Amino acid sequence: MRKLSIRRKIRTYCNMCGKEIGSKENKYEAVAVIKVEWGYFSEKDGEIHKIRLCEKCYDSWVEKFALPVEIEIKKELLN
C-alpha cells in the first residue's frame, strides 16, 4: 500500500485590505504576522488574536505610530 501525500495550498489574506498574500502573481510576497495572547486585567482575557498584513498595509499602518518601529538588520540572509 502506498501513502499519497496531498498538498493543500493554504490561502492567506491581509486583514486590512483583504487581498490574497502570496498569490500566484506574488508568490514570494512577505507577510507580517502579529499574534497576541491577552491575559489578566484585559477585556480580552483568554483570547488569542492573530492578524496578517501585506507589506503595503504594514507600511501604511506603522507610519501612523507615534514612535518609530525598531529595525534590526539581519547579517546573514541565507539560513
Side-chain angles (χ1 to χ4, degrees):
M1 183 173 11
R2 280 178 34 191
K3 255 188 172 178
L4 296 177
S5 172
I6 299 173
R7 286 184 163 181
R8 289 188 190 171
K9 183 179 185 305
I10 298 171
R11 294 187 175 169
T12 303
Y13 296 90
C14 175
N15 285 88
M16 188 173 280
C17 70
K19 95 170 179 178
E20 185 177 359
I21 303 169
S23 62
K24 285 184 181 179
E25 301 84 37
N26 298 317
K27 69 180 185 179
Y28 298 110
E29 184 177 13
V31 58
V33 179
I34 301 166
K35 181 179 175 181
V36 180
E37 295 186 30
W38 296 97
Y40 298 119
F41 310 112
S42 119
E43 306 235 347
K44 299 167 194 65
D45 187 19
E47 295 180 6
I48 299 171
H49 293 199
K50 189 172 185 179
I51 63 170
R52 293 167 187 87
L53 297 171
C54 67
E55 189 172 3
K56 184 178 176 183
C57 288
Y58 171 84
D59 290 341
S60 170
W61 181 50
V62 299
E63 76 181 16
K64 297 173 185 153
F65 289 1
L67 300 173
V69 173
E70 292 180 29
I71 299 174
E72 290 181 32
I73 304 299
K74 188 172 182 177
K75 294 184 182 177
E76 289 188 36
L77 296 178
L78 298 175
N79 287 336

